[in-house]
Amino acid sequence: MLKLNAIKSEKIWGYELWIASTHPNGCQDDFKSFCGGDYPLLVKVIQADDTLSIQVHPDDAWAVKLEGEGNRGKTECWYVLDAAPDAKIVYGIKEGFSNEVLAKAISENSLEEYLEFVNVKPGDFIFIPAGTVHAIGAGLRLMEVQQSCDLTYRLYDWGRGREVHIEKGLAVIKREEMIPVAPFPKTFDCKYFTLNEIDVSGEWKFVNENKDEIPSSVQLIYILDCEDSAVISADGQKSVLTPENIFAIKAGEEICIQGNAKIMQIRAK
């Protein structure tokens, strides 16, 4: 078992904590050594004090086409940890508008009228497949699970003057049916990861039953909430739990959580 220490990245809108990463742009060396290589997921905590840019990420095929061999796409999801009463996200674009219309709106600083805004609250879950236009609004703190990729194409940045990537961004947009924003359904599964929310009351034991000693066999335990006396232990190690802690568990390893806690089990595929 390895308790991971965050890498903090300051942003103009707040900050990110890279809490489980082997990505070159923010690599936890001890985690990479623990995994034995490149872990296919990247887990963050995002604190948005201001609204992020309107952005989109490529899928695996577009990442290679636009950025070269060795690049992954970026499918991701958010779990809302905290939210101001009026907090919103951008979650997709309205139907019926061509890329030409969107490009014109970007140039005229009028893209807002083509965006879908959704109110969110703590405990809500948002799935963002690669190709989905999105943005995190001000007043939100999120836990994000994503493919290990740092490719972001900004379509619109509210006049803040940062680089935008209109041609690439419009090329990778997908107009697919969205999964409605709703409280996390206790389990979620997609092509790249599986999430399970578990309520621990008293004691919970878990064995990572993966057999192969490869990076993707490592599982992660993220602490959503816990009482002060809750602890996690494995192989003689013991650690007092704090919300937003995250632990890596090797293939074949057994852990035990004692006390009351709500955790998110994260598995790569």
Side-chain angles (χ1 to χ4, degrees), residues 13 15-19 43-50 52 55 76-84 87-90 118-126 128 134-145 181 222 224 244:
W13 41 259
Y15 63 84
E16 291 181 343
L17 300 175
W18 289 33
I19 60 174
V43 184
K44 301 176 184 175
V45 170
I46 298 174
Q47 176 62 43
D49 299 320
D50 197 359
L52 278 67
Q55 54 191 242
E76 61 188 353
C77 66
W78 301 331
Y79 183 105
V80 181
L81 300 171
D82 196 16
K88 295 179 176 65
I89 62 167
V90 172
V118 180
N119 287 89
V120 294
K121 62 186 184 302
D124 278 349
F125 178 73
I126 303 99
I128 305 169
H134 63 279
I136 300 169
L140 282 169
R141 189 173 182 86
L142 310 173
M143 187 268 288
E144 176 179 279
V145 179
V181 174
Y222 176 81
L224 292 165
E244 299 189 11

Side-chain angles (χ1 to χ4, degrees), residues 58 61-72 151 153 165 168:
W62 272 111
V64 171
K65 183 176 181 178
L66 295 176
E67 308 297 339
E69 291 293 334
N71 282 284
R72 287 189 180 100
L151 293 175
Y153 299 144
H165 316 90
K168 288 182 177 180

Side-chain angles (χ1 to χ4, degrees), residues 227-233 238-241 256-259:
E227 64 179 13
D228 292 342
S229 59
V231 297
I232 186 171
S233 57
K238 182 175 285 189
S239 181
V240 176
L241 298 182
C256 178
I257 293 177
Q258 294 173 304

Side-chain angles (χ1 to χ4, degrees), residues 30-62:
D30 56 348
F31 182 45
K32 187 169 185 176
S33 177
F34 185 86
C35 293
D38 174 30
Y39 192 63
L41 301 180
L42 198 166
V43 184
K44 301 176 184 175
V45 170
I46 298 174
Q47 176 62 43
D49 299 320
D50 197 359
T51 302
L52 278 67
S53 61
I54 306 299
Q55 54 191 242
V56 65
H57 308 299
D59 63 15
D60 293 333
W62 272 111

Side-chain angles (χ1 to χ4, degrees), residues 30-247:
D30 56 348
F31 182 45
K32 187 169 185 176
S33 177
F34 185 86
C35 293
D38 174 30
Y39 192 63
L41 301 180
L42 198 166
V43 184
K44 301 176 184 175
V45 170
I46 298 174
Q47 176 62 43
D49 299 320
D50 197 359
T51 302
L52 278 67
S53 61
I54 306 299
Q55 54 191 242
V56 65
H57 308 299
D59 63 15
D60 293 333
W62 272 111
V64 171
K65 183 176 181 178
L66 295 176
E67 308 297 339
E69 291 293 334
N71 282 284
R72 287 189 180 100
K74 186 177 175 182
T75 285
E76 61 188 353
C77 66
W78 301 331
Y79 183 105
V80 181
L81 300 171
D82 196 16
D86 59 347
K88 295 179 176 65
I89 62 167
V90 172
Y91 191 45
I93 52 177
K94 294 178 180 177
E95 294 182 4
F97 299 104
S98 67
N99 282 1
E100 290 73 23
V101 170
L102 297 178
K104 186 172 186 291
I106 292 169
S107 69
E108 295 176 349
N109 293 316
S110 61
L111 187 62
E112 292 96 320
E113 63 186 272
Y114 299 94
L115 303 173
E116 296 284 5
F117 291 86
V118 180
N119 287 89
V120 294
K121 62 186 184 302
D124 278 349
F125 178 73
I126 303 99
F127 179 55
I128 305 169
T132 303
V133 174
H134 63 279
I136 300 169
L140 282 169
R141 189 173 182 86
L142 310 173
M143 187 268 288
E144 176 179 279
V145 179
Q146 58 162 94
Q147 291 178 264
S148 183
C149 167
D150 202 26
L151 293 175
T152 295
Y153 299 144
R154 290 192 198 101
L155 292 170
Y156 189 66
D157 198 34
W158 316 103
R160 288 185 287 212
R162 293 187 296 173
E163 181 184 7
V164 292
H165 316 90
I166 298 171
E167 184 176 347
K168 288 182 177 180
L170 292 176
V172 306
I173 287 176
K174 294 183 180 180
R175 293 169 169 83
E176 298 178 351
E177 186 174 354
M178 315 286 284
I179 296 176
V181 174
F184 187 71
K186 290 299 183 181
T187 187
F188 179 79
D189 184 72
C190 72
K191 179 180 177 181
Y192 300 102
F193 46 78
T194 299
L195 307 181
N196 291 300
E197 184 182 278
I198 299 164
D199 291 311
V200 178
S201 180
E203 183 176 86
W204 178 73
K205 291 185 177 180
F206 164 72
V207 178
N208 182 354
E209 295 182 349
N210 285 319
K211 304 300 182 185
D212 299 326
E213 292 291 337
I214 57 176
S216 61
S217 68
V218 170
Q219 294 192 28
L220 301 171
I221 301 293
Y222 176 81
I223 310 303
L224 292 165
D225 195 15
C226 62
E227 64 179 13
D228 292 342
S229 59
V231 297
I232 186 171
S233 57
D235 295 331
Q237 302 177 69
K238 182 175 285 189
S239 181
V240 176
L241 298 182
T242 300
E244 299 189 11
N245 284 167
I246 189 166
F247 299 86

